[in-house]
Amino acid sequence: MRIVKLSAWLFACIVLFAGTPDNWLTQAAAQEATDRQAAEGTPPELLDNALCLSCHGIEGFSVPGADGRDRDLHIRAEEFVDSVHGGRYCVECHKDILEVPHRAGVERGVGCVECHRNLWDMARRRGETDKFARLGVVVQQIESYMHSVHARPSMADQSRTNATCYDCHNAHYITPIDSSVGAMGRLRIPEICGRCHTEQLADYKTSVHGQSVLGDTNPFAAVCTDCHTTHEIASPEVASIRVGITRNCGNCHEYELETYLGTYHGQVSTLGYAYTAKCFDCHGHHKIQRVSNEASLVHPSNRIQTCRKCHEGATAGFATFQPHGTTGDFERYPFLWIAGKGMGALLIGVFAFFWTHSALWLYREYKELKERRNQPHIRVDKVAPEEKKYFKRWPAAWRLVHLVFALAIMTLVLTGTSVLYGESAWARGFINLLGGPQVAAIVHRFAAGTFITLFFGHLIYVAYYLSRNWRTFKVFGPTSTVPNLQDLFDVVAMFKWFFGLGPRPLFDHWTYWKKFDYWAPFWGMVIIGFSGLMLWFPEATASVLPGWVFNIATLVHGEEAFLAAVFLFSVHFFNVHFRPDKFPMDTVIFTGRMPLEEFKREHTLEYRRLAESGQLENYLVDAPSRSMAVGSKILAAVLILIGLTLLVLVFVGFGGHVLSA
């Protein structure tokens, strides 16, 4: 026996010679241990690793455990030296070991957390944190672990954790994950986790991931820690963990995650909420199979049952929903591709024309305004009575409808784009302040209901008006909003004026851009309204239409909303408030009254027609009261400020969405 021990001693000395602890951190730790021993009245002597391996280096070395079974205490010296702990003294971790043979009746627990924290504190005190950056990473992992489900007391024994460091890591053979040995160590992770999670391991072994890892020894296939993380493990019932696991799926399945995030399910997930379907709700948890496998939850034969886990009334149409559909793949998703290209062309066309129109208008009107200001003028004390009058442009009912309509649209834009651009910090902040996407959805639908009520109420009024005046109403008359050939002539004349090639055209009751503003909600109702109703009532929609219409509805609903928001708060605001003749605001829609001089300039043809027919006097009213004038300016300023804020938020969200795509 003495010869065996001597041989083991010599072997350990040879093996450990190159790995003898010699860095200052180890020496400092050793010194602290020596100081501690001295304080406890024990000899200031730190046991060398070779002495430890004189016994523990013997293959088969063991001692009887409390349960009567032998405890294997053998340490493979070569592997220990190659590990991250190979340069440390054994007694740095096994602090109770002060002599050989060891004292009896001492708790042999090892404090991984305490040890690493102490060493890191020591490195910080010495200003050497950069030199031991890896140790800092370990301490960060420890802090994450301390908030995990593993660090919590077990239900049976409050004095123990559910799993501590050495339950997952073999402390003597830890190898950096970025090393070749560490990478292959991934293959052992399922079995390590399975020591406690036996049912999950059994399911995992049957999955496509488990077969690739355990059967094909593929170190790049998903193991437990790829989905659940390594140290921040918590219950999948927690919302943040469900969202985190979904993100983790995208570490391997990038395309699938990107396309998933384009759906309403994914948009809610982006906001950090977990009540919509996540990857594992459809594909399963540990028994995940390929889609082509009949056992897969998303196999065509099983898909409808999977949908019904959330959508109890799901019909066969749900089974054709394309959760990973994209506008970039015509072969697989032709209808979605067509819808995407169509909406893209619409956006480009509308903004290219109207932004160019606004820019040219700004230049030309500013130039003429500057010329008028430079012209000499004669001040008169007496002004013709009619010049003190205002023209009654809007009755009270229409002003109220416009105000409610504006508030409804602003609410729709805010609540809708907050979900559409959920990756933006402002969107998450607003949704959290509001109480979550479900509350936002209620507010959004209330605003949508208000919009629909106003829209159809207007149609009823128009039908009533035409029924009363069908004999005298002229479809293409001066007071009709129906576009006519003159509008086209006006567009051409306007562009000639922009470039100084002709005079500014004269307009009647409606201008071509106001007719566009009037008819735009009709288009928006068809696109945004019907697509929104489809998404609002999915079971009813899927009962008569295929599931892929949800993909198209989501696409056109969001992009048409973007078009409407940007157009209203840029082009419409410019036409009404920001062009030089109107800046900084026009309050006629709030007071209902327009200065007669302004009316003559803006609607010259209507002014002439009314004056010649003797009807002008019927429309002349006094100036709005001071309180109405001031209140209208305040209301206009508030609405303009809200609109411009929404415009900025939409652009920020859109920019972030494009950059993250």
Side-chain angles (χ1 to χ4, degrees):
M1 185 64 181
R2 187 173 299 175
I3 295 176
V4 172
K5 286 190 175 183
L6 180 60
S7 300
W9 179 289
L10 293 174
F11 172 73
C13 290
I14 294 172
V15 170
L16 292 178
F17 180 79
T20 300
D22 59 358
N23 64 71
W24 69 261
L25 199 57
T26 296
Q27 297 297 339
Q31 184 60 50
E32 286 196 357
T34 300
D35 295 343
R36 175 174 54 81
Q37 292 172 359
E40 294 175 355
T42 56
E45 180 180 355
L46 197 64
L47 301 182
D48 189 81
N49 288 358
L51 178 61
C52 300
L53 287 171
S54 65
C55 293
H56 291 280
I58 301 174
E59 186 173 356
F61 180 72
S62 63
V63 297
D67 57 359
R69 299 179 181 179
D70 286 344
R71 292 176 55 211
D72 182 15
L73 300 179
H74 170 233
I75 302 299
R76 298 184 295 277
E78 303 95 325
E79 293 184 37
F80 173 72
V81 171
D82 291 336
S83 74
V84 295
H85 289 154
R88 314 212 66 81
Y89 286 105
C90 302
V91 292
E92 286 183 67
C93 296
H94 301 279
K95 297 180 183 296
D96 64 292
I97 304 300
L98 303 176
E99 58 187 16
V100 178
H102 309 325
R103 293 177 298 169
V106 177
E107 176 61 42
R108 302 302 185 199
V110 174
C112 302
V113 172
E114 179 184 3
C115 180
H116 287 91
R117 280 177 169 174
N118 290 342
L119 290 175
W120 183 242
D121 288 341
M122 194 185 308
R124 288 194 297 181
R125 288 197 303 270
R126 294 173 178 255
E128 295 285 349
T129 55
D130 292 341
K131 186 176 180 180
F132 295 94
R134 184 183 294 276
L135 178 60
V137 172
V138 172
V139 172
Q140 290 178 354
Q141 293 170 338
I142 287 174
E143 297 306 320
S144 298
Y145 161 78
M146 296 301 290
H147 295 89
S148 72
V149 69
H150 283 162
R152 297 171 192 166
S154 67
M155 298 301 293
D157 183 357
Q158 294 293 306
S159 67
R160 295 179 60 84
T161 59
N162 289 325
T164 194
C165 307
Y166 45 77
D167 288 321
C168 301
H169 301 281
N170 189 314
H172 299 103
Y173 311 121
I174 295 178
T175 307
I177 196 65
D178 54 1
S179 68
S180 58
V181 176
M184 293 305 295
R186 282 174 48 85
L187 300 174
R188 297 193 294 269
I189 289 177
E191 296 292 350
I192 292 173
C193 297
R195 295 172 189 167
C196 297
H197 305 283
T198 55
E199 292 183 9
Q200 288 76 12
L201 176 61
D203 291 341
Y204 175 80
K205 287 180 177 179
T206 67
S207 72
V208 62
H209 294 151
Q211 291 171 3
S212 182
V213 171
L214 303 177
D216 302 333
T217 62
N218 177 8
F220 302 105
V223 296
C224 313
T225 53
D226 291 320
C227 300
H228 295 280
T229 73
T230 52
H231 298 94
E232 297 180 66
I233 299 173
S235 170
E237 300 300 322
V238 178
S240 60
I241 301 303
R242 285 173 56 84
V243 173
I245 292 175
T246 302
R247 288 286 182 181
N248 291 340
C249 294
N251 292 333
C252 296
H253 305 282
E254 295 181 8
Y255 167 83
E256 287 74 12
L257 177 63
E258 179 184 350
T259 51
Y260 162 79
L261 293 178
T263 66
Y264 181 72
H265 292 157
Q267 291 166 349
V268 171
S269 181
T270 300
L271 287 165
Y273 291 82
Y275 66 85
T276 55
K278 303 294 179 276
C279 308
F280 43 83
D281 290 316
C282 300
H283 293 274
H285 302 78
H286 299 97
K287 292 184 179 181
I288 298 175
Q289 304 295 334
R290 297 187 185 279
V291 177
S292 58
N293 190 319
E294 292 185 357
S296 171
L297 295 179
V298 291
H299 185 272
S301 60
N302 302 323
R303 194 170 297 169
I304 187 62
Q305 295 302 325
T306 300
C307 294
R308 285 175 178 166
K309 290 191 297 184
C310 297
H311 303 276
E312 296 180 1
T315 61
F318 270 81
T320 60
F321 171 63
Q322 297 163 341
H324 300 294
T326 174
T327 58
D329 191 338
F330 177 78
E331 292 185 3
R332 296 179 63 186
Y333 312 106
F335 296 111
L336 194 55
W337 184 90
I338 293 172
K341 296 300 180 286
M343 290 303 301
L346 178 65
L347 289 171
I348 293 173
V350 169
F351 292 134
F353 176 82
F354 281 101
W355 282 349
T356 301
H357 184 277
S358 298
L360 293 174
W361 194 353
L362 173 64
Y363 165 76
R364 187 62 183 175
E365 196 166 279
Y366 173 76
K367 186 176 180 180
E368 288 198 351
L369 181 63
K370 187 176 180 181
E371 291 173 353
R372 290 200 301 268
R373 288 175 177 172
N374 292 334
Q375 292 176 356
H377 60 280
I378 300 175
R379 179 178 178 181
V380 293
D381 295 331
K382 294 184 178 181
V383 181
E386 72 169 21
E387 299 298 336
K388 295 182 178 180
K389 293 293 184 179
Y390 276 63
F391 182 85
K392 187 175 182 180
R393 181 74 174 168
W394 299 105
W398 290 116
R399 304 201 306 269
L400 178 61
V401 167
H402 176 272
L403 177 60
V404 176
F405 187 75
L407 293 174
I409 288 181
M410 290 176 174
T411 303
L412 287 169
V413 171
L414 181 57
T415 53
T417 54
S418 296
V419 176
L420 183 62
Y421 303 127
E423 64 270 19
S424 298
W426 71 263
R428 295 184 182 183
F430 171 74
I431 290 295
N432 292 337
L433 181 65
L434 197 60
Q438 291 169 310
V439 177
I442 294 173
V443 176
H444 190 80
R445 290 165 182 168
F446 176 80
T450 302
F451 183 98
I452 293 172
T453 300
L454 292 176
F455 179 81
F456 285 102
H458 172 72
L459 292 183
I460 293 172
Y461 170 79
V462 169
Y464 172 77
Y465 176 84
L466 293 177
S467 68
R468 296 285 301 271
N469 302 278
W470 66 274
R471 293 181 182 274
T472 58
F473 178 76
K474 296 179 180 180
V475 176
F476 298 107
T479 59
S480 172
T481 57
V482 178
N484 54 44
L485 193 58
Q486 183 59 44
D487 294 315
L488 179 59
F489 294 153
D490 289 342
V491 172
V492 174
M494 196 73 164
F495 272 88
K496 286 183 177 180
W497 173 66
F498 289 158
F499 292 101
L501 301 177
R504 179 172 182 166
L506 304 178
F507 297 102
D508 208 296
H509 187 80
W510 297 107
T511 61
Y512 63 84
W513 64 85
K514 290 185 178 180
K515 288 184 179 181
F516 186 90
D517 288 347
Y518 174 80
W519 287 103
F522 286 82
W523 167 261
M525 177 56 66
V526 173
I527 300 300
I528 301 180
F530 280 103
S531 61
L533 288 173
M534 289 179 185
L535 299 172
W536 191 350
F537 302 103
E539 286 84 1
T541 301
S543 65
V544 295
L545 295 173
W548 51 261
V549 300
F550 293 120
N551 299 88
I552 296 178
T554 301
L555 171 71
V556 300
H557 192 77
E559 297 203 0
E560 180 63 24
F562 172 83
L563 171 62
V566 174
F567 181 88
L568 285 171
F569 304 137
S570 63
V571 178
H572 177 69
F573 272 18
F574 172 81
N575 294 344
V576 176
H577 302 292
F578 298 152
R579 57 189 175 93
D581 279 352
K582 297 287 188 179
F583 188 81
M585 67 183 70
D586 184 0
T587 60
V588 64
I589 193 61
F590 304 111
T591 64
R593 307 175 187 195
M594 173 184 289
L596 190 57
E597 180 62 31
E598 182 180 347
F599 175 69
K600 289 170 62 177
R601 184 177 68 251
E602 295 285 332
H603 303 279
T604 307
L605 297 180
E606 184 178 19
Y607 174 83
R608 291 175 181 175
R609 178 165 44 81
L610 293 176
E612 291 172 0
S613 65
Q615 300 180 46
L616 183 61
E617 291 294 331
N618 299 333
Y619 294 91
L620 297 182
V621 294
D622 294 329
S625 65
R626 178 175 177 79
S627 59
M628 174 177 282
V630 173
S632 296
K633 289 182 179 180
I634 294 174
L635 179 58
V638 170
L639 292 178
I640 290 172
L641 180 61
I642 293 174
L644 292 179
T645 301
L646 290 174
L647 181 63
V648 171
L649 295 180
V650 168
F651 275 135
V652 170
F654 177 78
H657 186 73
V658 171
L659 293 176
S660 64

